[in-house]
Amino acid sequence: MKHTRRNITSAGLLGLTAVLVLTACGSKITPQAGGSTTTSSSAGSATPAAAGASCVDTSGDSVKIGFLNSLSGTMAISEKTVQESLMMAADEINAAGGVLGKQLEVVAEDGASEPATFAEKATKLIQSDCVAAVFGGWTSSSRKAMLPVFESNDALLYYPVQYEGLESSKNIFYTGATTNQQILPALDYLKEQGVTSLFLVGSDYVFPQTANKEIKAWAAANGMEIKGEEYVPLASGADFSTIITKVKDSGAGAVFNTLNGDANVSFFKEYRNVGLAADTMPVVSVSIAEEEVSGVGVENLVGQLTAWNYYQTLDTPANKKFVEDFKAKYGDDRVTSDPMEAAYTSMYLWKNTVEKGKSFAVADIQANAGGVSFEAPEGTVTINGDNHHIAKTALIGKVAEDGLIYTEWTSPAPIEPDPYLTTYPWAAGLS
Amino acid sequence: MDVVVSQVFTGLSIGSILLLAAIGLALTFGQMGVINMAHGEFIMAGGYTAFVVQGLFDNAGVGLLLSIPVAFLVGGLLGVVLEMTLLRRMYHRPLDTLLVTYGVSLILQQLAKNIFGTQGKSVRTPTWLQGPLELFGFDFPKTRVFVLVLAVVTVVGLSVALKTTSLGRRIRATVQNRQLAECSGISSRATDRLTFFLGSGLAGIAGVALTQLSPVNSSVGQSYIINAFLIVVVGGIGQIKGAVIAAFVLGIGQAALEKIYDASLARIIVFVAIVAFLQLRPQGIFNVRTRSLA
Amino acid sequence: MKALTSSRFSAFIPFLVAAAVLFVLAPAVLSDFRLNLLARYLCFAIVAVGIGLAWGSGGMLTLGQGVFFGLGAYAMGLHMKLDDAGPGRAPDYMPPTTDFLPGWVEMFRSGIVTIVAIALLPALVALVLGLATFKRKVRGAYFAILSQALAAAFALLIIVLGSQSGNYTNGTNGLNNFRSFFGYDLDDPANQKMLFFIAAGFLLVMVAIARQLRNSRYGELLRACQSSEERVRFLGYDPANVKVVAYVIAAAMAGIGGALFVPVVGIITPLDVGVAPSIAMLIGVAIGGRGTLWGPVLGAIGVAWAQSTLSEQFPAFWTYIQGALFIVVIAFLPGGIAGVGAAIRNARGRWDDRRRGRTDPPAANPVETVKHDVGSMA
């Protein structure tokens, strides 16, 4: 026994020494002046010595692109639709001759609805598969998890979902709406309709919390009263009884709903059960699209409002073709939604940017992106070269008996993206 | 006053759901010492049964009422299959049953995802359950009254059955002393299987009740299973009255805390309170001499 | 029994092989990306060593290791965020107006405090929990259910601490976007390799500690507690104390695994610490053989590897495989793969016995008989 002990200890020591020897290598970070905090936008500028040259191979007849969506876990149903419309875009582009004459070769990975997996798979797509660009992500946490990966590897992500704003990275293109293209128009619309007070209900995570912070700042400047603000845990099984009682007792003019996923079902059921209705206290939702309507139950949603930049019912030639093609490819009973359209659009924007600069290189895409536009199903969209968001038209819609959403109100023109709300005086204290 | 009445009602409502979820566990965990993590998925199966059955009828009310016995059968059959294939080999390894049934629960969840999709399915509310019920000048949502009544009827039915039927007597005898029961000519194998059928069937009913308040999705079982186990543990193993008290105390506590703080914090406080309570009374509210658990 | 010299040598061989594989072979054949993945698996292997001790030797089904993993991980994560922010500043995920951080956040600014806290914090929580449950003779089933409830509450607590009143843990987004690890640039591949070696070194040290404990008098007491606490009590020992020690050590190991996970993977979120990850940490241990020294390590690495690889090809299928593994391994192979040989020998022995006309078959495997004993004693 005694002898073994000595040996084992020495084995441990061996390991430790090895570690100690090896710690000697590797570069240290030199403290920057004032120890600057790395906000997402500035992190990219601290160009890492490490990333090395990109391994993307554009010498052959094809070029690889990566799709990173959750195919398993809680977000699978939503993100799968995004992947389908990305796939459709890739097929269309390939059928029309590819990008710069090269066929697209898709590498699809599963984010499994976990931020850590998104980070892992993003690294794999960039370092191991050497893709030219990645399309995907849905939840804010998946985007936040991928952001440092794309910045440190100096690669590109096209993110197709509306989000809470206050972010911009030179390595991400945001093709969904930022706050001033979705939430602010919805608030303006409510004000126009004579609503004077709001109740805020959301899931307990970053999007609702940030969105509500912005709504409160807007409300203070616009004479809108906030009657209450409630959050429910993201995990399913939340009980809405207490919250709905608070909503009902508040007598607010409207409810602003930033709940996520299935919580919407419980919320709207309870909302009807206590005798509330769309004509007395309407609910504006920013996370319920065509895809979610059937899940929540059309009967629970009829007459309620949504805020997006695209609806399946839009009457544009590009949309007619988009909806037709999608149904032909995936089935007649399928619907199209805003994130699907934004994903589809994102690939064409990437294609147009690549073709404008005749290069797949990240730096060239970043340099040429400004002003690139596309006749999207939602209308003409244009990339803003400064913040990598796109100009979009805001649409307030109403859920109808057939489960589709019809436009009630349209912003007069495409709204320029302003993720940090710098052009709104009331938002000064937010970021 | 209004606030107190409405919060007490909310608490009773939360409690009634927890009770329905836990009452079957009180049987299977209490009698057989099996820690069945797949109980939550039996609840889920009950919910999906309600969804499927309702799809067969135009009338939402008929579908809902009919799905109660059907879900009982579906849950019960799932339970019996689980008992016959896996659990009967492991009655002496309660901790291992936890892990094995966790594996079953993973598979059932994924099956549900593949069959019904990850997005929750909404079961329609019949017209006679829509809107509020006015009672003593207060408004109570009819669906919640329905769930409360269903829970009370189920529990009363179960205790009457345990007291008066021969199956009930056999179950109670086996809980209290397995060896003696076997000596008295009770087939503990058959009793075990029937108990498992009953306990799992009750999970199916719980699933139907849930559909009136929230959507059915593949993770619905996960959100109730831990609370259900805590209720059984707090109530005292093998005790129906213990589970009833524990469920309603927990429900009312949760409702009150939600009113004061927010929902997440309320859950944490409830968890901590339960752990603290079990320090004082590790045997739960009520204690019955029973086969101890490892 | 073989001669002392040969047993001494044979005990040394696995360490030598492991060291050769981790320090020489792996860095030589794996790409930077794969090496980083392996480093992640090693973090789970470190947790597995602790679980092997508490569950395999001590019979405690530790369903709440995610709590200790999370404590270590968030301690490290907070330190790295505070370190990146610079002296006196709040991390980038907090509102820029934040000018005051509570003491429990501020203390992680110090590297020394963080390193101590990574092992000590989980150990302290485990000590309190362990004393509370084991002294009250809360055993087995109750302990398992309470551990699970705590894991659920802990994940919620992380979310609550990252929400409205003060964003200390960054809620569901978790902590990520780290630039440096104790001053070393995380984007430098050389430093990523260094992290791998640190994880490998810690793993070997943890296995060595576990081996010492298992082979000591304490290890015998721990196994005795698993088979019969009453008999241990009769011998004049307090089984609660014996079990608490193993539980605390397992918790500290989980904390270390969690702390290394953060710089290696670059992110920690509440999804990595709740109920499901806690249970998932058990399956590797069960497959490798919970009662063996190296089984949990190999099992944890194998399962983590299978998860990343198989889920690449069949995303939804991994869940079925995971579920099937729990069922097959726990119900039919409680000794894990390491127990397959024993199970076969047993089956053959049983067959031989039957041929010789003996009637009482021996138990299928040691674990089963052990559990049976506990059941009848409690």
Side-chain angles (χ1 to χ4, degrees):
Chain A
M1 255 340 177
K2 288 273 148 48
H3 296 276
T4 22
R5 176 171 303 176
R6 196 180 304 145
N7 273 333
I8 300 314
T9 326
S10 59
L13 282 175
L14 183 84
L16 267 184
T17 10
V19 169
L20 289 173
V21 170
L22 287 154
T23 41
C25 65
S27 63
K28 280 199 117 167
I29 275 196
T30 41
Q32 295 176 347
S36 83
T37 51
T38 50
T39 56
S40 42
S41 49
S42 67
S45 58
T47 321
S54 130
C55 62
V56 180
D57 176 20
T58 52
S59 59
D61 311 336
S62 67
V63 63
K64 279 189 190 168
I65 52 171
F67 291 175
L68 183 41
N69 313 96
S70 296
L71 305 175
S72 58
T74 49
M75 293 307 297
I77 189 99
S78 302
E79 296 195 42
K80 215 168 177 165
T81 63
V82 164
Q83 202 193 57
E84 285 166 345
S85 78
L86 284 169
M87 210 57 100
M88 184 168 101
D91 287 350
E92 278 178 23
I93 291 172
N94 279 342
V99 178
L100 289 182
K102 293 180 201 301
Q103 291 287 302
L104 301 180
E105 195 183 322
V106 172
V107 184
E109 279 291 348
D110 175 20
S113 312
E114 290 164 358
T117 311
F118 269 97
E120 176 198 326
K121 299 296 185 189
T123 315
K124 173 181 176 281
L125 286 171
I126 301 166
Q127 292 185 1
S128 195
D129 296 318
C130 301
V131 298
V134 176
F135 299 81
W138 182 292
T139 58
S140 285
S141 43
S142 72
R143 189 191 65 255
K144 293 273 186 203
M146 291 189 286
L147 186 137
V149 176
F150 282 92
E151 288 188 341
S152 66
N153 288 285
D154 200 20
L156 287 180
L157 169 69
Y158 283 79
Y159 173 75
V161 184
Q162 47 79 231
Y163 81 110
E164 70 279 4
L166 306 183
E167 185 182 297
S168 90
S169 161
K170 68 185 182 66
N171 295 94
I172 301 184
F173 285 92
Y174 307 79
T175 64
T178 176
T179 355
N180 77 317
Q181 299 167 313
Q182 183 193 27
I183 290 175
L184 298 189
L187 292 169
D188 287 334
Y189 170 80
L190 287 174
K191 194 180 169 193
E192 220 177 281
Q193 299 291 310
V195 173
T196 55
S197 61
L198 285 177
F199 198 103
L200 312 179
V201 177
S203 301
D204 206 352
Y205 77 112
V206 65
F207 170 66
Q209 284 158 9
T210 314
N212 286 345
K213 219 164 34 181
E214 292 165 359
I215 293 172
K216 283 187 285 185
W218 175 90
N222 284 275
M224 185 80 80
E225 191 189 346
I226 302 294
K227 295 271 197 179
E229 181 182 1
E230 287 291 330
Y231 296 95
V232 291
L234 255 189
S236 66
D239 194 286
F240 276 89
S241 201
T242 309
I243 288 176
I244 284 289
T245 319
K246 287 183 189 174
V247 170
K248 193 183 180 190
D249 295 349
S250 76
V255 177
F256 207 97
N257 166 23
T258 43
L259 287 170
N260 198 35
D262 286 340
N264 278 305
V265 188
S266 315
F267 173 79
F268 279 104
K269 278 199 163 191
E270 206 74 45
Y271 170 91
R272 273 177 89 208
N273 286 342
V274 296
L276 291 170
D279 46 351
T280 52
M281 195 194 280
V283 182
V284 186
S285 307
V286 292
S287 306
I288 297 180
E290 287 85 345
E291 193 68 36
E292 284 80 28
V293 170
S294 65
V296 179
V298 183
E299 73 276 11
N300 293 321
L301 279 175
V302 169
Q304 301 290 14
L305 301 167
T306 61
W308 289 104
N309 307 88
Y310 167 87
Y311 298 114
Q312 183 180 327
T313 55
L314 281 189
D315 191 17
T316 67
N319 185 43
K320 285 223 168 71
K321 181 179 172 301
F322 175 65
V323 174
E324 242 166 60
D325 290 351
F326 190 83
K327 284 181 181 255
K329 196 172 166 80
Y330 296 106
D332 247 356
D333 55 334
R334 298 292 305 274
V335 291
T336 56
S337 67
D338 183 294
M340 291 159 72
E341 189 267 351
Y344 176 86
T345 302
S346 72
M347 190 169 298
Y348 276 99
L349 286 171
W350 171 74
K351 172 180 184 274
N352 291 355
T353 316
V354 170
E355 291 183 337
K356 180 181 171 194
K358 300 199 168 40
S359 160
F360 288 98
V362 172
D364 293 330
I365 292 178
Q366 286 163 340
N368 288 311
V372 169
S373 71
F374 172 61
E375 272 313 307
E378 67 179 88
T380 309
V381 296
T382 314
I383 300 180
N384 178 317
D386 296 327
N387 57 31
H388 284 191
H389 290 59
I390 63 180
K392 294 167 89 82
T393 308
L395 307 170
I396 306 300
K398 197 175 239 176
V399 181
E401 299 275 355
D402 60 3
L404 293 177
I405 306 173
Y406 293 87
T407 313
E408 281 281 299
W409 177 91
T410 312
S411 68
I415 303 171
E416 273 302 314
D418 183 6
Y420 291 95
L421 300 174
T422 48
T423 54
Y424 302 86
W426 51 262
L430 282 176
S431 58
Chain B
M1 194 57 212
D2 279 17
V3 177
V4 174
V5 173
S6 81
Q7 282 316 104
V8 167
F9 176 75
T10 302
L12 289 176
S13 173
I14 298 175
S16 63
I17 299 160
L18 291 174
L19 180 58
L20 276 171
I23 198 78
L25 273 184
L27 274 183
T28 53
F29 185 38
Q31 178 181 340
M32 291 179 288
V34 169
I35 308 178
N36 181 15
M37 293 294 285
H39 191 81
E41 277 57 50
F42 296 167
I43 298 177
M44 170 194 86
Y48 279 120
T49 306
F51 172 73
V52 172
V53 170
Q54 198 177 57
L56 305 175
F57 296 91
D58 281 340
N59 185 325
V62 175
L64 180 66
L65 292 180
L66 195 68
S67 58
I68 294 174
V70 178
F72 179 77
L73 278 178
V74 169
L77 284 177
L78 281 173
V80 168
V81 170
L82 179 67
E83 201 272 347
M84 285 171 62
T85 50
L86 289 170
L87 297 181
R88 73 190 174 89
R89 333 169 161 269
M90 330 184 45
Y91 279 138
H92 299 298
R93 297 149 62 193
L95 290 182
D96 286 3
T97 61
L98 188 157
L99 294 175
V100 167
T101 52
Y102 180 76
V104 174
S105 126
L106 283 179
I107 290 179
L108 287 177
Q109 281 178 52
Q110 189 58 41
L111 265 178
K113 272 181 203 159
N114 289 6
I115 297 172
F116 297 99
T118 11
Q119 189 163 18
K121 293 288 179 201
S122 169
V123 175
R124 280 173 295 151
T125 308
T127 37
W128 46 269
L129 277 182
Q130 281 168 12
L133 176 77
E134 230 190 275
L135 217 63
F136 316 116
F138 295 103
D139 279 355
F140 302 107
K142 284 182 191 162
T143 46
R144 289 192 175 264
V145 177
F146 170 77
V147 174
L148 189 57
V149 170
L150 186 63
V152 171
V153 169
T154 309
V155 170
V156 170
L158 180 67
S159 20
V160 170
L162 283 181
K163 284 238 163 62
T164 57
T165 63
S166 79
L167 169 65
R169 275 192 295 274
R170 272 185 279 151
I171 291 177
R172 283 186 294 134
T174 320
V175 172
Q176 283 181 359
N177 193 325
R178 182 170 289 259
Q179 273 84 22
L180 201 58
E182 278 182 17
C183 292
S184 335
I186 295 173
S187 158
S188 64
R189 274 297 304 126
T191 313
D192 281 347
R193 199 167 295 167
L194 274 168
T195 313
F196 222 84
F197 179 80
L198 198 59
S200 309
L202 291 171
I205 295 183
V208 177
L210 274 180
T211 61
Q212 291 309 304
L213 303 174
S214 58
V216 200
N217 59 29
S218 58
S219 61
V220 71
Q222 291 306 297
S223 42
Y224 288 96
I225 186 74
I226 293 178
N227 274 331
F229 268 116
L230 287 177
I231 284 167
V232 177
V233 171
V234 169
I237 301 255
Q239 285 289 320
I240 289 181
K241 62 179 169 185
V244 173
I245 294 174
F248 285 120
V249 167
L250 215 68
I252 291 173
Q254 171 108 14
L257 289 167
E258 269 182 28
K259 185 78 186 174
I260 304 166
Y261 304 107
D262 71 343
S264 302
L265 204 56
R267 286 197 190 183
I268 295 173
I269 297 174
V270 166
F271 276 135
V272 173
I274 289 173
V275 174
F277 170 80
L278 286 172
Q279 290 313 307
L280 301 173
R281 277 189 78 83
Q283 73 277 32
I285 301 174
F286 295 107
N287 189 23
V288 70
R289 281 182 60 83
T290 173
R291 279 191 335 120
S292 295
L293 296 161
Chain C
M1 277 293 124
K2 286 173 189 155
L4 192 61
T5 45
S6 95
S7 93
R8 193 178 114 194
F9 187 63
S10 67
F12 191 58
I13 286 178
F15 282 92
L16 215 59
V17 172
V21 167
L22 290 174
F23 287 101
V24 183
L25 186 65
V29 298
L30 294 176
S31 68
D32 285 350
F33 171 67
R34 295 286 161 192
L35 197 68
N36 177 266
L37 276 188
L38 182 57
R40 162 198 295 226
Y41 308 158
L42 295 185
C43 299
F44 288 118
I46 292 173
V47 182
V49 174
I51 296 177
L53 195 67
W55 184 30
S57 301
M60 290 164 273
L61 184 53
T62 47
L63 280 173
Q65 291 306 89
V67 174
F68 309 124
F69 183 86
L71 283 172
Y74 270 92
M76 178 65 92
L78 280 174
H79 170 71
M80 288 166 71
K81 285 313 280 186
L82 287 162
D83 201 26
D84 282 353
R89 286 167 183 257
D92 54 9
Y93 59 84
M94 295 186 191
T97 47
T98 313
D99 49 6
F100 168 79
L101 292 173
W104 68 266
V105 177
E106 194 60 49
M107 73 178 194
F108 291 112
R109 205 180 281 279
S110 149
I112 306 289
V113 171
T114 305
I115 290 174
V116 173
I118 281 165
L120 203 61
L121 210 56
L124 275 178
V125 174
L127 182 70
V128 173
L129 271 176
L131 285 178
T133 41
F134 301 134
K135 285 279 184 195
R136 296 289 292 171
K137 296 188 196 169
V138 175
R139 262 169 294 184
Y142 277 30
F143 174 68
I145 291 168
L146 286 182
S147 308
Q148 249 182 320
L150 278 160
F154 179 73
L156 260 178
L157 181 69
I158 297 277
I159 295 173
V160 169
L161 288 177
S163 60
Q164 306 106 38
S165 43
N167 185 6
Y168 305 122
T169 57
N170 208 20
T172 44
N173 274 5
L175 304 176
N176 76 330
N177 205 353
F178 304 108
R179 286 170 54 226
S180 66
F181 176 68
F182 290 94
Y184 287 93
D185 184 353
L186 279 173
D187 284 332
D188 187 337
N191 289 335
Q192 283 292 334
K193 204 166 267 187
M194 166 187 92
L195 275 173
F196 169 80
F197 290 127
I198 292 177
F202 266 103
L203 175 63
L204 291 184
V205 172
M206 294 302 139
V207 177
I209 292 173
R211 187 178 183 282
Q212 282 309 105
L213 286 170
R214 284 165 58 95
N215 290 356
S216 66
R217 277 177 71 81
Y218 168 76
E220 280 170 39
L221 261 178
L222 185 61
R223 276 190 296 277
C225 281
Q226 186 183 19
S227 31
S228 169
E229 287 194 19
E230 291 305 316
R231 280 174 227 170
V232 172
R233 213 185 302 279
F234 289 146
L235 292 172
Y237 297 95
D238 184 349
N241 292 344
V242 177
K243 289 166 80 172
V244 164
V245 170
Y247 187 52
V248 165
I249 292 173
M253 288 183 179
I256 293 169
L260 289 169
F261 179 89
V262 175
V264 166
V265 178
I267 183 168
I268 180 77
T269 74
L271 277 176
D272 301 316
V273 303
V275 177
S278 297
I279 302 183
M281 287 170 189
L282 291 171
I283 186 63
V285 178
I287 290 175
R290 55 181 112 151
T292 63
L293 180 64
W294 287 95
V297 173
L298 296 173
I301 295 176
V303 168
W305 171 80
Q307 173 160 17
S308 335
T309 320
L310 290 176
S311 66
E312 275 174 24
Q313 273 107 42
F314 328 94
F317 225 70
W318 169 249
T319 316
Y320 286 122
I321 297 173
Q322 200 184 7
L325 281 178
F326 269 108
I327 297 170
V328 172
V329 174
I330 306 284
F332 303 100
L333 279 176
I337 290 182
V340 171
I344 292 172
R345 273 197 301 280
N346 246 325
R348 195 178 294 158
R350 209 155 29 188
W351 191 71
D352 286 345
D353 287 345
R354 212 169 297 156
R355 220 174 31 174
R356 282 187 219 116
R358 281 187 206 163
T359 46
D360 52 339
N365 64 64
V367 180
E368 195 164 349
T369 39
V370 159
K371 294 281 184 236
H372 193 93
D373 256 16
V374 179
S376 56
M377 286 300 299

